[in-house]
Amino acid sequence: MKKSERCLAILEILQRQHKVTVTDLAQRFGISEMTIRRDLNFLARQYNISRTHGGAELGNQPVVRMISFDEARIAHKETKEKIAAMAATMIRSGQRIFVDAGSTTRIILNYLNEETKAVVVVNHLKVAEQALQFENLSVIMLGGDMIRITNCSSGPVAEEQLKNYQLDIAFIGAAAIGTDGKLYDGYSPEARLKSSLFSVAKKVYVLADSSKINTYDLNEFGSLSQIDGLITDAGIDEEGMILMKRHRVNVMIAE
């Protein structure tokens, strides 16, 4: 079993049991306890799980992939900047757009022409604050349950509010794009919110650096066949391109 598959399985166990031990996991996967410790350390840096002396615990909460707004901690930052810059060129005055809270999508606003007049719908406090710096943007913050750990709004209220809008473009991130052609997110309420965008946006573009391709996460929210394009980087390998061609995805490479 690959590390990515094993880590996903560990997260699913934590979702069910809320606590795991190194010894039990090592026996379950037939690998060394040292390898399991490395896996748990890796997961603790990306998700809201806590390392304990003998394993890890989640507590009485769902697994959430941590969204960092500390620019110094963002992985593949230069690549993501290029992807966001390309996405920004697609925005026209008069459009209604959705920008999610992903580490790539939120950078779009850094490259937006200040003269652009548009309506921007967001579900993250930091993204809303950034959008409000543009005098020509009308900003709509989705309501609903605020997730303290990510500062995102989600849940039934946010989903119902979103369904009342008609959007021209939605720019969304993906925690993973699987070899099965599915799009994945690290948090189920966020995944449900993203899935509702396909029914209200004329065009949906996924912004994801090449490291996300041919990987998996916990929650499926859509498929490659539903999107209008993938904006990624030149690091996408042959296997990734074959996957995109199989699902007839318009791939845009940010140079």
Side-chain angles (χ1 to χ4, degrees):
M1 179 181 287
K2 295 179 180 179
K3 176 182 176 179
S4 59
E5 296 172 341
R6 189 172 61 249
C7 286
L8 182 57
I10 292 171
L11 289 174
E12 290 172 341
I13 295 170
L14 275 165
Q15 258 309 23
R16 295 193 304 269
Q17 301 177 183
H18 304 290
K19 184 182 295 186
V20 295
T21 67
V22 170
T23 301
D24 287 345
L25 291 176
Q27 292 176 351
R28 179 189 291 262
F29 295 109
I31 57 177
S32 70
E33 292 190 0
M34 181 62 70
T35 299
I36 290 296
R37 289 191 185 93
R38 285 197 292 264
D39 288 348
L40 292 177
N41 289 337
F42 170 77
L43 291 171
R45 290 193 296 269
Q46 298 193 55
Y47 295 86
N48 60 325
I49 67 173
S50 300
R51 284 287 277 117
T52 61
H53 178 68
E57 60 184 17
L58 175 63
N60 190 25
Q61 57 184 333
V63 173
V64 180
R65 180 184 283 271
M66 306 298 289
I67 300 175
S68 174
F69 275 79
D70 180 354
E71 296 299 321
R73 295 175 56 194
I74 295 176
H76 311 292
K77 187 174 185 297
E78 183 177 345
T79 296
K80 292 178 178 182
E81 293 278 357
K82 293 177 181 178
I83 293 171
M86 174 175 280
T89 65
M90 303 169 66
I91 300 173
R92 300 287 181 268
S93 284
Q95 289 184 324
R96 298 152 297 179
I97 67 173
F98 178 85
V99 178
D100 81 359
S103 58
T104 305
T105 49
R106 69 172 183 260
I107 307 173
I108 290 173
L109 296 177
N110 292 345
Y111 297 93
L112 187 65
N113 188 322
E114 292 186 1
E115 302 301 316
T116 300
K117 297 180 180 179
V119 176
V120 179
V121 181
V122 301
N123 72 318
H124 196 288
L125 291 175
K126 290 285 187 180
V127 179
E129 290 175 2
Q130 187 176 5
L132 285 169
Q133 297 177 20
F134 293 82
E135 293 185 2
N136 290 325
L137 294 183
S138 296
V139 184
I140 297 174
M141 174 76 190
L142 295 180
D145 301 324
M146 292 301 299
I147 310 304
R148 190 180 304 276
I149 202 166
T150 63
N151 288 330
C152 286
S153 60
S154 61
V157 173
E159 293 163 25
E160 285 300 314
Q161 183 181 351
L162 191 58
K163 289 176 183 177
N164 291 324
Y165 299 144
Q166 289 297 314
L167 303 171
D168 294 296
I169 304 180
F171 295 107
I172 60 176
I177 301 174
T179 55
D180 56 2
K182 303 295 185 181
L183 306 170
Y184 293 89
D185 192 79
Y187 182 45
S188 55
E190 185 76 5
R192 288 195 299 270
L193 183 70
K194 288 182 180 182
S195 67
S196 64
L197 284 163
F198 294 109
S199 63
V200 299
K202 294 178 182 177
K203 293 184 180 297
V204 176
Y205 292 94
V206 169
L207 280 62
D209 65 80
S210 57
S211 70
K212 305 291 182 61
I213 300 171
N214 293 329
T215 64
Y216 290 87
D217 214 302
L218 282 173
N219 304 284
E220 173 194 332
F221 68 85
S223 66
L224 289 172
S225 61
Q226 292 178 280
I227 68 174
D228 295 277
L230 168 70
I231 307 178
T232 188
D233 60 88
I236 183 171
D237 59 18
E238 183 179 358
E239 185 179 1
M241 287 303 299
I242 290 173
L243 175 66
M244 299 306 149
K245 289 178 182 177
R246 185 187 309 142
H247 293 275
R248 300 180 180 179
V249 175
N250 175 27
V251 179
M252 291 161 277
I253 305 295
E255 300 290 349

